[in-house]
Amino acid sequence: MSENANKLIHTFGALAELGHEVTNKSNFQDTIRTSLHLLLGSLAIMRGGVARYSRFEHELNMLAVRGLGDEFPLSFSLCDEDERQFLTNGLYPIEISKAGVLPFFQVHDQTFDPAKLQLLLPLVIRDETVGVVFLGEKATGEPYTDYDKEIICAMGRHIGGAIAQRNMLSELERRSDENRKLYENLRTTYSDTVKAFAAAIDCKDKYTEGHSVRVGKYSEIIGAELGWGEDEVEGAAVAGYLHDVGKLTVERKIINAPYRINAKESAELNKHPAVGYEILLPIHHPYTDVPLAAKYHHERLDGRGYPDGLYDREIPYIAKIVNLADSFDAMTTDRPYKRRRPANEVFEDLQRNSGKQFAPEIVAALFRGLLKELNGESGEKRFRKLLGREYMETEGLAPMLKNSLNGMTPTSPLTMISLD
Ligand SMILES: [Fe+2]
């Protein structure tokens, strides 16, 4: 076999290996390093390097170098003339030794010996320059032939392709990062809007100031205690914040009546779940059950709630959570015509109504959350902030909750808890 044929087989072998390398290696740096070694090895070139071109910084940043010495710069700033030549050359080797070529070698000649390099190949992929390959002299000391240059261009196409692919990936990552930030901003805006709404709802009812906000927080605690994921827990909080949004359309004098309202007024007030549902339905919530929580937060497991008198399994789960949070807040805050009830009474009542008005596992979740805080097992003092120190320091509260958690059954006698 002739020497030329041998050379041909050798270089085609290297090309095939390079193609394999570029398509299979997941580590970009490794791909470039191995590609450079293959290129140098296939033509017995003493030294070389691969750099990525940064259009915005007007720089070349080295990705891999071999045999160029420690003093070889890791990045080059391109002056206008360099950049112009470099960008308009196309994918064809530039001979560095020719006078006047690429002045940046003169700019950087303090730090390395330009004589070490003979060729420079701009890597142009789909009309875009993505990098450059630097090549030193051949081991034989002979000049580069046209045939060598063709091989170098073919290999350069592979290396350029790998860099272009990486650039595309980086751009995708950057965009997805931007989208993530945008999404987070949107979520914050949504969450702030929800809280503003809750504050607006609470403003209307001067006797139950902060009610919606507290119901949101209790719902959030319950969701977390039920082992829900972050998004669902946030959904529970939003459902709590907005559950009474329908009250915005109820006359202020009915909401603020300092006495027990009559049947007619009560009928008016009882429209608020359905109205709330209508208000929330057209909004695109990240948590689709939010309108259902508003509609069914006055339903009871035993079918004695309103507006539809649904039974246990017919009631959306989120509505059961908000129902408990709502009742718990109603029992633990002062109302115009009645003081809040003592802690032990409230917990007995919730236990007794577990399985009747409330879902037992939801009551258990609330008790667990509270017990954890009383035992110092939860980082935050959320209940303390919502209920007040005095309430939380009720004597014997922790053992009582522990007992309740052990002894809760769905067969306790039926009692009604009035929600105002
Ligand atoms: Fe309500």
Side-chain angles (χ1 to χ4, degrees):
M1 205 182 283
S2 73
E3 197 195 330
N4 267 350
N6 262 333
K7 218 166 145 186
L8 202 65
I9 290 169
H10 179 69
T11 44
F12 270 103
L15 252 179
E17 216 174 312
L18 186 60
H20 179 78
E21 185 64 33
V22 166
T23 46
N24 281 299
K25 270 268 167 59
S26 55
N27 183 314
F28 173 66
Q29 288 284 345
D30 279 356
T31 303
I32 300 300
R33 205 172 299 124
T34 317
S35 305
L36 174 66
H37 292 185
L38 280 167
L39 170 56
L40 298 180
S42 69
L43 292 173
I45 302 168
M46 298 295 284
R47 54 186 68 90
V50 178
R52 183 193 221 157
Y53 170 57
S54 164
R55 193 155 37 110
F56 301 109
E57 271 97 30
H58 306 280
E59 266 179 7
L60 289 174
N61 297 299
M62 297 310 295
L63 296 168
V65 282
R66 188 175 206 192
L68 288 170
D70 293 342
E71 74 278 14
F72 196 80
L74 289 176
S75 81
F76 299 97
S77 299
L78 299 176
C79 66
D80 292 348
E81 178 60 12
D82 291 341
E83 207 165 13
R84 193 191 59 74
Q85 283 196 45
F86 169 64
L87 292 178
T88 54
N89 186 76
L91 197 143
Y92 198 77
I94 300 169
E95 290 196 30
I96 292 167
S97 58
K98 288 195 176 155
V101 169
L102 292 184
F104 73 80
F105 280 100
Q106 282 136 41
V107 175
H108 290 284
D109 67 359
Q110 304 299 316
T111 46
F112 77 101
D113 177 10
K116 277 183 174 175
L117 294 170
Q118 288 194 357
L119 288 186
L120 191 147
L121 175 72
L123 301 172
V124 183
I125 302 295
R126 288 184 293 275
D127 295 330
E128 193 189 337
T129 305
V130 295
V132 62
V133 174
F134 297 103
L135 295 171
E137 73 274 25
K138 287 166 73 176
T140 56
E142 291 165 8
Y144 282 97
T145 62
D146 287 347
Y147 171 77
D148 292 338
K149 288 179 185 173
E150 271 180 43
I151 297 295
I152 290 168
C153 288
M155 292 188 136
R157 243 173 242 121
H158 278 291
I159 299 174
I163 296 176
Q165 196 183 34
R166 176 66 186 193
N167 288 349
M168 211 162 71
L169 269 177
S170 304
E171 178 62 14
L172 276 176
E173 275 166 19
R174 191 187 63 76
R175 283 192 199 170
S176 95
D177 204 48
E178 247 178 45
N179 281 343
R180 189 184 50 75
K181 280 184 193 143
L182 264 175
Y183 174 68
E184 274 168 13
N185 280 345
L186 266 178
R187 272 182 80 137
T188 310
T189 308
Y190 174 77
S191 154
D192 289 349
T193 310
V194 165
K195 284 175 193 161
F197 248 97
I201 301 161
D202 291 345
C203 252
K204 193 152 185 191
D205 187 343
K206 65 178 178 183
Y207 295 115
T208 58
E209 199 195 344
H211 168 69
S212 301
V213 172
R214 286 191 299 272
V215 171
K217 290 190 169 156
Y218 290 134
S219 301
E220 187 178 358
I221 294 171
I222 294 169
E225 277 304 321
L226 287 168
W228 284 11
E230 204 181 314
D231 282 356
E232 286 79 11
V233 169
E234 203 180 331
V238 170
Y241 282 128
L242 297 178
H243 76 286
D244 267 347
V245 71
K247 280 192 181 169
L248 286 173
T249 64
V250 178
E251 269 187 74
R252 196 177 277 267
K253 72 173 201 284
I254 297 179
I255 293 176
N256 288 321
Y259 51 83
R260 274 201 185 277
I261 50 177
N262 62 35
K264 194 174 163 234
E265 289 167 328
S266 180
E268 189 59 32
L269 181 64
N270 289 358
K271 285 180 189 163
H272 79 272
V275 174
Y277 176 74
E278 295 301 325
I279 292 174
L280 295 173
L281 197 61
I283 299 170
H284 182 80
H285 298 273
Y287 329 100
T288 49
D289 288 353
V290 170
L292 291 177
K295 187 170 185 178
Y296 296 120
H297 74 275
H298 285 291
E299 296 288 357
R300 301 169 44 109
L301 258 59
D302 55 16
R304 298 171 71 185
Y306 70 95
D308 294 344
L310 301 182
Y311 284 92
D312 191 355
R313 281 166 185 262
E314 299 168 321
I315 307 169
Y317 206 79
I318 187 76
K320 293 180 187 175
I321 292 178
V322 174
N323 174 266
L324 176 66
D326 191 16
S327 310
F328 182 62
D329 187 59
M331 291 189 276
T332 53
T333 46
D334 290 335
R335 296 289 157 122
Y337 41 84
K338 77 174 186 218
R339 302 279 300 165
R340 71 170 172 178
R341 294 162 62 194
N344 48 354
E345 236 183 87
V346 169
F347 294 110
E348 274 168 23
D349 221 337
L350 292 179
Q351 187 187 356
R352 210 169 33 244
N353 279 283
S354 159
K356 305 294 178 291
Q357 176 173 351
F358 311 115
E361 75 276 16
I362 297 177
V363 175
L366 176 74
F367 283 12
R368 248 191 340 264
L370 189 56
L371 191 60
K372 273 187 195 166
E373 189 173 312
L374 286 169
N375 290 340
E377 291 165 30
S378 60
E380 295 167 276
K381 303 258 178 237
R382 305 218 281 177
F383 280 100
R384 200 187 180 102
K385 278 184 205 146
L386 293 162
L387 294 166
R389 205 185 84 184
E390 195 191 327
Y391 211 74
M392 288 292 278
E393 286 174 359
T394 301
E395 215 185 314
L397 193 55
M400 198 194 102
L401 284 169
K402 210 173 161 199
N403 265 339
S404 301
L405 275 169
N406 292 334
M408 253 189 312
T409 66
T411 52
S412 355
L414 191 70
T415 51
M416 291 282 279
I417 288 178
S418 74
L419 283 182
D420 304 299

